[in-house]
Amino acid sequence: MIGLDTSHSVAFTKLLNEKEPKEDIAGFAVTHAYPQGSRDIESSTSRIPKYTAEMKSLGVEIVDSIEALLDKVDYVLLETNDGRLHLEQALQVFKAKKPVFIDKPMAASLKDVLAMFSAAETYQVPVFSASSLRFSPVTQEVASGNKIGKVLGASTFSPAKLEKTHPDLFWYGIHGVEALCTLMGTGCKQVRRLYREGVDVVVGEWEDGRIGTFRGIRDGKQTYGGTAFGTDGVIEAGGYEGYRPLVVEIAKFFRTGIPPVSAAETIEIFAFMAAAEESKRRNGAMVSLKEVLDTSKK
């Protein structure tokens, strides 16, 4: 595990290192960790000593470099909370040919997301990134078409606290955005964002004319959820149902080498958020995903 500046590090380790884990996550254990995550985000750096101590109590050996870690492990959980460091850290993992899960946010720019997937392809290393909300059972049932038929639209919400080092939605709003994109599927064409100090509302239009919306909450009660509208019903979806469904998918990924989320789908999520950032800069104008993708490829 790389990065002990997020609660995910301890939570995932507790699940994987259970004495008698269920079959769907059995066979894997977190054995070594490199603690250094962010160097200048106080909310992250302040957590490292506490989480390092907790990891030691769980039997995890702490190492002093990524290089040392890579010599001792078969698979990598890149948990560093600071997306700006992920490209640099992931490149070391790719070169070592270790399959890797990269926790949210995959990067602090769309450009870095594209660079990571390109490098993973060059080194032929399996990689994926996802929010835990993607794999919440209800969200998965709806997205598969087995719950309310074809999804005609969706509206999700999540906390969306800001971090000055990251584009606004990349830091935390990504949870609700990924839930929305999971429910709606790929094919978002353009987005428009209404920003206020305590709230964001982002409206996405898909290529087939469907509309999806995300509400990012900063004032008032902050929680996760949403509604999906289908051909056969309307249902609450997009909520948080724990970390275990994500850890199950990580274990399956490590066993098979097959990412449960494609590079194209993850890139679209980051393009959605990058377009929302540009829409804010343009005072709520509609911005196409193609535009931000083309700019990020230069």
Side-chain angles (χ1 to χ4, degrees):
M1 183 174 285
I2 297 172
L4 301 183
D5 59 345
T6 167
S7 61
H8 292 189
S9 302
V10 174
F12 291 2
T13 300
K14 285 180 177 178
L15 285 165
L16 289 167
N17 291 19
E18 288 179 348
K19 289 184 178 179
E20 296 183 7
K22 292 184 179 178
E23 186 177 348
D24 53 7
I25 59 172
F28 298 94
V30 179
T31 58
H32 298 78
Y34 170 64
Q36 184 62 58
S38 179
R39 297 181 178 87
D40 59 0
I41 299 175
E42 194 279 332
S43 63
S44 294
T45 59
S46 61
R47 298 175 177 182
I48 294 175
K50 177 179 182 289
Y51 291 150
T52 299
E54 286 192 56
M55 294 291 278
K56 287 180 179 178
S57 73
L58 293 170
V60 177
E61 181 181 334
I62 305 300
V63 298
D64 60 6
S65 69
I66 292 176
E67 183 179 14
L69 177 110
L70 292 172
D71 284 339
K72 299 173 182 289
V73 302
D74 301 304
Y75 310 96
V76 174
L77 296 165
L78 204 172
E79 294 299 320
T80 301
N81 213 21
D82 189 342
R84 295 172 299 170
L85 302 179
H86 284 178
L87 177 57
E88 168 194 339
Q89 294 177 330
L91 283 172
Q92 295 179 67
V93 179
F94 296 156
K95 290 174 183 177
K97 302 289 187 179
K98 309 287 184 178
V100 56
F101 165 74
I102 302 176
D103 213 333
K104 68 86 199 163
M106 186 174 188
S109 70
L110 177 56
K111 191 179 188 74
D112 276 7
V113 170
L114 294 169
M116 269 189 277
F117 279 121
S118 177
E121 185 175 357
T122 296
Y123 288 102
Q124 292 294 291
V125 175
V127 59
F128 90 98
S129 180
S131 161
S132 56
L133 270 70
R134 166 179 291 276
F135 297 110
S136 293
V138 172
T139 297
Q140 285 292 306
E141 280 189 87
V142 173
S144 70
N146 295 326
K147 198 74 172 177
I148 56 171
K150 176 180 172 59
V151 174
L152 302 177
S155 178
T156 63
F157 55 85
S158 78
K161 51 192 171 187
L162 306 180
E163 165 52 49
K164 64 183 180 181
T165 60
H166 288 60
D168 291 353
L169 300 182
F170 282 49
W171 182 247
Y172 216 85
I174 185 173
H175 287 302
V177 170
E178 184 150 1
L180 175 66
C181 292
T182 303
L183 292 166
M184 294 289 292
T186 56
C188 185
K189 179 181 179 182
Q190 55 189 1
V191 304
R192 172 182 287 136
R193 175 182 175 192
L194 178 64
Y195 166 84
R196 296 293 182 267
E197 186 175 338
V199 68
D200 275 300
V201 176
V202 184
V203 180
E205 181 182 354
W206 268 247
E207 291 171 352
D208 56 7
R210 293 179 302 142
I211 301 293
T213 64
F214 164 67
R215 183 180 184 89
I217 307 166
R218 285 183 290 279
D219 283 349
K221 176 67 175 176
Q222 298 187 31
T223 187
Y224 307 86
T227 304
F229 307 90
T231 53
D232 302 328
V234 177
I235 192 172
E236 290 186 8
Y240 171 68
E241 299 182 63
Y243 293 127
R244 195 176 192 283
L246 171 58
V247 173
V248 169
E249 292 298 326
I250 292 171
K252 188 186 302 181
F253 164 66
F254 286 156
R255 285 192 197 99
T256 65
I258 301 171
V261 187
S262 70
E265 188 166 357
T266 299
I267 288 167
E268 184 169 309
I269 290 167
F270 279 85
F272 181 106
M273 294 188 295
E277 187 79 359
E278 182 62 18
S279 177
K280 175 190 174 185
R281 194 182 72 81
R282 298 182 192 175
N283 297 313
M286 189 72 84
V287 177
S288 75
L289 272 64
K290 181 180 185 302
E291 177 186 341
V292 295
L293 279 164
D294 288 347
T295 299
S296 296
K297 289 174 182 176
K298 292 179 180 177

